[in-house]
Amino acid sequence: MLFHVRMDVAIPHDLDPDVRAETVAREKARALEVQRAGKWPHIWRVVGQYSNISIFDVESNAELHEILGSLPLFPYMTITVAPLTTHPSDLAVQ
Amino acid sequence: MLFHVRMDVAIPHDLDPDVRAETVAREKARALEVQRAGKWPHIWRVVGQYSNISIFDVESNAELHEILGSLPLFPYMTITVAPLTTHPSDLAVQ
Amino acid sequence: MLFHVRMDVAIPHDLDPDVRAETVAREKARALEVQRAGKWPHIWRVVGQYSNISIFDVESNAELHEILGSLPLFPYMTITVAPLTTHPSDLAVQ
Amino acid sequence: MLFHVRMDVAIPHDLDPDVRAETVAREKARALEVQRAGKWPHIWRVVGQYSNISIFDVESNAELHEILGSLPLFPYMTITVAPLTTHPSDLAVQ
Amino acid sequence: MLFHVRMDVAIPHDLDPDVRAETVAREKARALEVQRAGKWPHIWRVVGQYSNISIFDVESNAELHEILGSLPLFPYMTITVAPLTTHPSDLAVQ
Amino acid sequence: MLFHVRMDVAIPHDLDPDVRAETVAREKARALEVQRAGKWPHIWRVVGQYSNISIFDVESNAELHEILGSLPLFPYMTITVAPLTTHPSDLAVQ
Amino acid sequence: MLFHVRMDVAIPHDLDPDVRAETVAREKARALEVQRAGKWPHIWRVVGQYSNISIFDVESNAELHEILGSLPLFPYMTITVAPLTTHPSDLAVQ
Amino acid sequence: MLFHVRMDVAIPHDLDPDVRAETVAREKARALEVQRAGKWPHIWRVVGQYSNISIFDVESNAELHEILGSLPLFPYMTITVAPLTTHPSDLAVQ
Amino acid sequence: MLFHVRMDVAIPHDLDPDVRAETVAREKARALEVQRAGKWPHIWRVVGQYSNISIFDVESNAELHEILGSLPLFPYMTITVAPLTTHPSDLAVQ
Amino acid sequence: MLFHVRMDVAIPHDLDPDVRAETVAREKARALEVQRAGKWPHIWRVVGQYSNISIFDVESNAELHEILGSLPLFPYMTITVAPLTTHPSDLAVQ
């Protein structure tokens, strides 16, 4: 089941630099882990912004929330979620 | 080169039903044509809305505009475009 | 799997009155049908507005879109969808 | 009398961690207390957000404000309230 | 129980003039009727706009919706409702 | 001359608690003083929000600004002002 | 007493051309009349828009509403009003 | 003197096709005329939208308004104007 | 050449009080200086807000930016600028 | 390939003044470097704002993001990007 997720990151400028670096590193590790599990098939950078647009493929709403909440940058992100479904004009379903 | 495109369709309710049906049919045919050419790798329906979220893979801005402008529903759509690039946490680029 | 859905209805004032009445009647019939199937556990009227706030309980995003798209007033509604999950402070999960 | 309430939580990142933990714990205790009193029949987590969507069942506007203002996270929440009433297509009122 | 209600009126310019005049006349009659019943203690015109800001005093959400829905201009108004309660700095409650 | 005023209060969370308490106390005293002078006939709490909706009855724009600017919480409030006038459907003017 | 008023004009494109021309002509005549009475000391065109920004000098809110409502284009305008007062840095009041 | 101008075109779908075609043709002719006069040094199409972003080089605000108002599509465009000046990091002014 | 300028002031609450007082004093001095030069013919306070609405009369965009940037409160203000021109219904141009 | 980019700068007021000055100096140096490389053909100051509107001429989305991300003020800027293409009414393409 696919979801469109946009994450806009805004780390407070006065966050301790070590905490910041460590959090960003853990974020990347966790992101790779979720991708390896096949749950996060697409992640793109939005040009000019500290943001990503992603597609998640999960079993349920609960699983999606668990994944997003497990991201170390979660407290510093504005996240919007849109449930997706197959488009009738998708070549794959003709 | 990837672009994130969202299309929200709003066909006027008083459009002639035949024109409407014919336009929607041509839209689908054109969408499939662009997908077959490898320019439109993803198209999803946004749940609950007459909208799609798509990824386009084109050579240039000009090519993207040419494709979008060629869609028969173009006059009835609100389209937003965001250029994408590789995300540093994308598993594929590690 | 629960979804929060808000529907704001805006039927064009120049729609044929008979078409309007018939569409509204079919909308109600369809709404009751989906409720009887256990897919639409809550529907409330928002005070002062031609709108409802609803909770849907479905198997998948696809099923939700199919239900919403089957509503006769779908072409005249602005619909927003938010996926829900269990809240950790919900008494039922303590 | 039912009200739809959305609460978006934004605890300042530089709040003392102990104060934060203690406040969140008190919030949960108070939320359970209000639910046990039958005043807060539904609370859901919005996927991807530090937010809940809730239904309150109270005697009056005054009671609702008293409950919301008693929540320990009240100073850190953006709260929107919409009064609800029975929907004419609700299966329960046919 | 008090509610703050704002009504912005937008009658379509191509509505039949007689229908318009008759609807506006019925709106006024109904507004006076609700005021006489003590349910609508305040109504003010917003300067420069075809809008009013009103205070309603009703028994319940349901009663408020019934009153607003009974206004002949209801289909042409955007209505926003905010539940009110006593302010702790109100001179009347010291 | 009547004005509709909404005040949304947002005191910075890191304001000294004593300063905060003292400012809030002075705000209440000043609010009562203006009410006693007959200049602030209505003040209501908006349910779920640290906000009030008020009606002021003043001689001029200048007097209204002088009153609002004299409120101790003025630096922490977002204030919106709408001039009001008699509504033609007001029962009192029939 | 001064008010800042912005008027954005949007005449429906399908309005009868004669009605339109006649209404615009009456609008101008009425605008000149109010200016001659000293009630409308400033009117400027906003570059690139069918809009004006104006300053009105009136006795009361009621008078301002009466003037604005008397403008023949009133039904086709979005009007915003902001009450003004003397600025403490105005050279004229030093 | 430079101005940044964005024009979003929205021709009503029920405009007579001949009027539409003729207006669009006159728009192009006028746009070329202004460019030839050196007043409109840049015009770009925004990808995916019936919009342009332009730079105008004019003597005064009045001249800019005169040009924009002379465009045959003016009644169907939403235009936003931002005055520009030299940027201190512009290579040309080092 | 006239410009409509709105300035909304938001001085951070934790700015050093002496710096604040000194900056506000310099702002007033500079504002008077520009008015004396005939460049700032109107400045009004917006009722209920730490904001002004002003009219500037300058030779060019560059001069306007130079003036606005020279205001000591510039770093703490949100400024919006709209170029103005003569209105065809202005009594002065009949 | 052209892109329209707007950058709004908001440096936190409590940033260390030396860090601020050094960052702004590096920003200018980098901006000049990119201009010298022919990648940033236009940069204008928006009157009254700490903002620029720019045109970039790059090979790809990736290159644009690399450039924008290399700007020392990137963490303090809100950046919006719009892909551009040739306008059919551009004099240069007739």
Side-chain angles (χ1 to χ4, degrees):
Chain A
M1 211 167 59
L2 300 180
F3 289 87
H4 180 272
V5 177
R6 181 183 171 121
M7 308 182 205
D8 295 296
V9 187
I11 304 177
H13 83 98
D14 55 356
L15 192 68
D16 178 87
D18 288 347
V19 172
R20 181 192 180 104
E22 187 262 356
T23 306
V24 168
R26 284 196 296 119
E27 173 80 13
K28 182 169 183 175
R30 180 65 181 130
L32 291 172
E33 189 175 42
V34 179
Q35 288 176 74
R36 283 194 197 96
K39 302 291 185 185
W40 194 341
H42 297 291
I43 176 171
W44 298 283
R45 173 66 82 208
V46 182
V47 169
Q49 304 184 352
Y50 193 0
S51 305
N52 72 69
I53 286 178
S54 292
I55 304 295
F56 283 84
D57 185 353
V58 293
E59 295 300 311
S60 66
N61 291 347
E63 188 184 20
L64 179 58
H65 188 68
E66 189 179 20
I67 290 171
L68 295 174
S70 77
L71 296 175
L73 286 176
F74 181 78
Y76 307 124
M77 295 198 291
T78 300
I79 297 179
T80 54
V81 175
L84 301 176
T85 187
T86 304
H87 194 284
S89 295
D90 186 343
L91 183 61
V93 299
Q94 304 308 310
Chain B
M1 213 167 59
L2 301 179
F3 289 86
H4 178 274
V5 177
R6 180 183 172 122
M7 307 182 206
D8 296 296
V9 187
I11 303 178
H13 83 97
D14 55 357
L15 193 67
D16 178 87
D18 289 346
V19 172
R20 182 192 179 104
E22 186 262 356
T23 307
V24 169
R26 284 195 297 120
E27 175 79 12
K28 182 169 182 175
R30 179 66 182 132
L32 292 173
E33 187 176 42
V34 179
Q35 288 175 74
R36 284 194 196 98
K39 301 294 184 183
W40 193 342
H42 297 291
I43 176 171
W44 297 285
R45 173 67 80 207
V46 182
V47 170
Q49 303 183 352
Y50 193 1
S51 304
N52 72 70
I53 287 179
S54 293
I55 304 294
F56 283 84
D57 185 354
V58 293
E59 295 300 310
S60 66
N61 291 348
E63 188 186 18
L64 179 58
H65 188 69
E66 189 178 22
I67 290 171
L68 295 174
S70 77
L71 296 174
L73 286 176
F74 182 77
Y76 307 124
M77 296 198 290
T78 300
I79 296 179
T80 55
V81 175
L84 301 176
T85 188
T86 305
H87 194 283
S89 295
D90 186 342
L91 185 59
V93 298
Q94 304 307 310
Chain C
M1 215 167 57
L2 300 180
F3 289 86
H4 179 273
V5 177
R6 181 183 171 121
M7 308 182 206
D8 296 296
V9 187
I11 304 178
H13 82 98
D14 54 357
L15 193 67
D16 178 88
D18 288 346
V19 172
R20 181 191 180 105
E22 186 263 357
T23 307
V24 168
R26 285 195 297 119
E27 174 79 14
K28 182 168 181 176
R30 179 66 181 132
L32 291 173
E33 187 175 42
V34 179
Q35 288 176 74
R36 283 194 196 97
K39 302 293 184 183
W40 194 343
H42 296 291
I43 176 171
W44 298 285
R45 172 68 79 206
V46 182
V47 170
Q49 304 183 353
Y50 193 0
S51 304
N52 72 71
I53 286 179
S54 292
I55 304 294
F56 283 84
D57 186 353
V58 293
E59 295 300 310
S60 66
N61 292 347
E63 188 185 20
L64 179 58
H65 188 69
E66 190 179 20
I67 289 171
L68 295 174
S70 77
L71 296 174
L73 285 177
F74 182 77
Y76 307 123
M77 295 198 290
T78 299
I79 297 180
T80 55
V81 175
L84 301 176
T85 188
T86 305
H87 194 283
S89 295
D90 186 342
L91 184 61
V93 299
Q94 305 307 311
Chain D
M1 212 167 59
L2 300 180
F3 289 86
H4 179 272
V5 177
R6 182 183 171 121
M7 308 181 205
D8 296 296
V9 187
I11 304 177
H13 82 99
D14 55 356
L15 192 68
D16 178 87
D18 289 346
V19 172
R20 181 190 180 105
E22 187 261 355
T23 307
V24 169
R26 284 195 296 119
E27 173 80 14
K28 183 170 182 175
R30 180 66 181 132
L32 292 172
E33 188 174 43
V34 180
Q35 287 175 74
R36 282 192 197 98
K39 302 292 184 183
W40 194 341
H42 297 291
I43 176 171
W44 298 283
R45 173 67 81 207
V46 182
V47 170
Q49 303 184 353
Y50 193 1
S51 304
N52 73 69
I53 287 179
S54 292
I55 304 294
F56 283 83
D57 186 353
V58 293
E59 295 300 311
S60 65
N61 292 347
E63 188 185 20
L64 179 58
H65 188 69
E66 188 179 21
I67 290 171
L68 295 175
S70 76
L71 296 175
L73 286 176
F74 182 78
Y76 307 124
M77 296 198 290
T78 300
I79 297 179
T80 53
V81 175
L84 300 176
T85 187
T86 304
H87 194 284
S89 295
D90 186 343
L91 183 60
V93 299
Q94 304 309 310
Chain E
M1 213 168 57
L2 300 180
F3 289 86
H4 178 273
V5 177
R6 180 182 172 123
M7 309 181 205
D8 296 296
V9 187
I11 304 178
H13 83 97
D14 54 357
L15 193 68
D16 179 87
D18 289 346
V19 172
R20 182 193 181 104
E22 185 263 358
T23 307
V24 168
R26 284 194 297 120
E27 174 80 14
K28 182 167 182 176
R30 178 67 182 132
L32 291 172
E33 186 175 43
V34 180
Q35 288 176 73
R36 283 192 197 99
K39 301 293 183 181
W40 193 343
H42 297 291
I43 177 171
W44 298 284
R45 173 67 81 208
V46 183
V47 170
Q49 305 183 352
Y50 192 2
S51 304
N52 73 69
I53 287 179
S54 291
I55 304 295
F56 282 84
D57 186 353
V58 293
E59 294 301 310
S60 66
N61 292 347
E63 188 184 21
L64 179 58
H65 188 69
E66 190 179 21
I67 290 171
L68 295 175
S70 77
L71 296 175
L73 285 176
F74 182 77
Y76 307 123
M77 295 198 290
T78 300
I79 297 179
T80 55
V81 175
L84 301 176
T85 187
T86 304
H87 194 285
S89 296
D90 187 341
L91 184 60
V93 298
Q94 304 307 311
Chain F
M1 210 168 58
L2 299 180
F3 289 86
H4 179 272
V5 177
R6 181 183 171 123
M7 308 181 205
D8 296 296
V9 187
I11 304 177
H13 81 98
D14 54 357
L15 192 68
D16 178 85
D18 289 347
V19 171
R20 181 192 180 103
E22 185 262 356
T23 307
V24 169
R26 284 194 296 119
E27 174 80 14
K28 182 169 181 175
R30 179 67 181 129
L32 292 172
E33 188 175 43
V34 180
Q35 288 176 73
R36 281 190 199 101
K39 301 292 184 183
W40 194 342
H42 297 290
I43 176 170
W44 299 284
R45 173 67 81 208
V46 182
V47 170
Q49 303 184 353
Y50 192 1
S51 304
N52 72 69
I53 286 179
S54 293
I55 303 294
F56 283 84
D57 186 353
V58 293
E59 296 300 311
S60 65
N61 292 347
E63 188 184 21
L64 178 59
H65 188 69
E66 189 179 21
I67 290 171
L68 295 174
S70 77
L71 297 174
L73 287 176
F74 182 78
Y76 307 124
M77 295 198 291
T78 300
I79 296 179
T80 54
V81 175
L84 301 176
T85 188
T86 304
H87 195 284
S89 296
D90 186 343
L91 184 61
V93 297
Q94 304 310 310
Chain G
M1 212 167 57
L2 300 180
F3 289 87
H4 179 273
V5 177
R6 180 181 170 123
M7 309 182 205
D8 295 297
V9 187
I11 304 177
H13 82 97
D14 54 357
L15 193 68
D16 178 87
D18 288 348
V19 172
R20 182 193 179 105
E22 185 262 359
T23 307
V24 169
R26 284 195 296 119
E27 174 80 13
K28 183 168 181 175
R30 178 68 181 129
L32 291 173
E33 186 175 45
V34 179
Q35 289 175 74
R36 281 193 198 98
K39 301 293 183 182
W40 193 342
H42 297 291
I43 176 171
W44 298 284
R45 173 67 81 206
V46 182
V47 170
Q49 304 183 353
Y50 192 2
S51 305
N52 72 69
I53 287 179
S54 292
I55 304 294
F56 283 84
D57 186 353
V58 293
E59 294 301 310
S60 65
N61 292 346
E63 188 185 20
L64 179 57
H65 188 70
E66 189 179 21
I67 290 172
L68 295 174
S70 76
L71 296 174
L73 286 176
F74 182 78
Y76 307 123
M77 296 198 289
T78 300
I79 296 179
T80 54
V81 175
L84 301 176
T85 187
T86 304
H87 195 284
S89 295
D90 185 342
L91 184 61
V93 299
Q94 305 307 311
Chain H
M1 212 167 58
L2 301 179
F3 289 86
H4 178 273
V5 177
R6 181 184 171 121
M7 308 182 206
D8 297 295
V9 187
I11 304 177
H13 83 98
D14 54 357
L15 192 68
D16 178 87
D18 288 346
V19 172
R20 181 191 180 105
E22 186 261 357
T23 306
V24 169
R26 285 195 296 120
E27 174 79 12
K28 183 168 181 175
R30 179 66 181 132
L32 292 173
E33 187 175 44
V34 179
Q35 287 175 75
R36 282 193 197 98
K39 301 294 185 183
W40 193 342
H42 297 291
I43 177 171
W44 299 285
R45 172 68 80 207
V46 182
V47 169
Q49 303 183 352
Y50 192 2
S51 304
N52 72 70
I53 287 178
S54 292
I55 304 294
F56 283 84
D57 186 352
V58 293
E59 295 301 309
S60 65
N61 292 346
E63 187 185 21
L64 179 58
H65 188 70
E66 189 179 21
I67 290 172
L68 294 174
S70 77
L71 296 174
L73 286 176
F74 182 77
Y76 306 124
M77 296 198 288
T78 300
I79 297 179
T80 55
V81 175
L84 301 176
T85 187
T86 305
H87 194 282
S89 295
D90 186 341
L91 184 60
V93 298
Q94 305 308 311
Chain I
M1 211 167 59
L2 300 180
F3 289 87
H4 179 272
V5 177
R6 181 182 172 123
M7 309 182 205
D8 296 296
V9 187
I11 304 178
H13 82 98
D14 55 357
L15 192 69
D16 178 87
D18 289 348
V19 172
R20 182 192 180 104
E22 186 262 357
T23 307
V24 169
R26 284 194 297 118
E27 175 79 14
K28 182 169 181 177
R30 180 64 182 133
L32 291 173
E33 187 175 43
V34 180
Q35 288 175 74
R36 282 191 198 99
K39 302 293 184 182
W40 193 341
H42 297 290
I43 176 170
W44 299 283
R45 173 67 82 207
V46 182
V47 170
Q49 305 185 353
Y50 193 0
S51 304
N52 72 69
I53 287 179
S54 293
I55 304 294
F56 283 84
D57 186 352
V58 293
E59 295 300 311
S60 66
N61 291 347
E63 188 185 20
L64 178 58
H65 188 69
E66 190 179 21
I67 290 171
L68 295 174
S70 77
L71 296 175
L73 286 176
F74 181 78
Y76 308 123
M77 296 198 290
T78 300
I79 297 179
T80 54
V81 175
L84 301 177
T85 188
T86 304
H87 194 284
S89 295
D90 187 343
L91 183 62
V93 299
Q94 304 310 310
Chain J
M1 212 166 61
L2 300 180
F3 289 86
H4 178 272
V5 178
R6 182 183 170 121
M7 308 182 205
D8 296 297
V9 187
I11 304 178
H13 82 98
D14 55 357
L15 192 68
D16 178 87
D18 289 346
V19 171
R20 181 192 180 105
E22 187 262 356
T23 307
V24 169
R26 284 194 297 119
E27 175 79 12
K28 182 169 181 175
R30 179 64 182 133
L32 291 173
E33 188 174 43
V34 179
Q35 288 175 73
R36 284 192 197 98
K39 302 292 185 183
W40 192 342
H42 297 291
I43 176 171
W44 298 283
R45 173 67 81 208
V46 182
V47 169
Q49 304 184 352
Y50 193 1
S51 304
N52 72 69
I53 286 177
S54 292
I55 304 294
F56 283 84
D57 185 352
V58 294
E59 295 300 310
S60 66
N61 291 347
E63 188 184 20
L64 178 58
H65 188 70
E66 191 179 19
I67 290 171
L68 295 175
S70 77
L71 296 175
L73 286 176
F74 181 78
Y76 308 123
M77 295 197 291
T78 300
I79 297 179
T80 54
V81 175
L84 301 177
T85 188
T86 304
H87 194 283
S89 295
D90 186 343
L91 183 62
V93 298
Q94 304 308 312

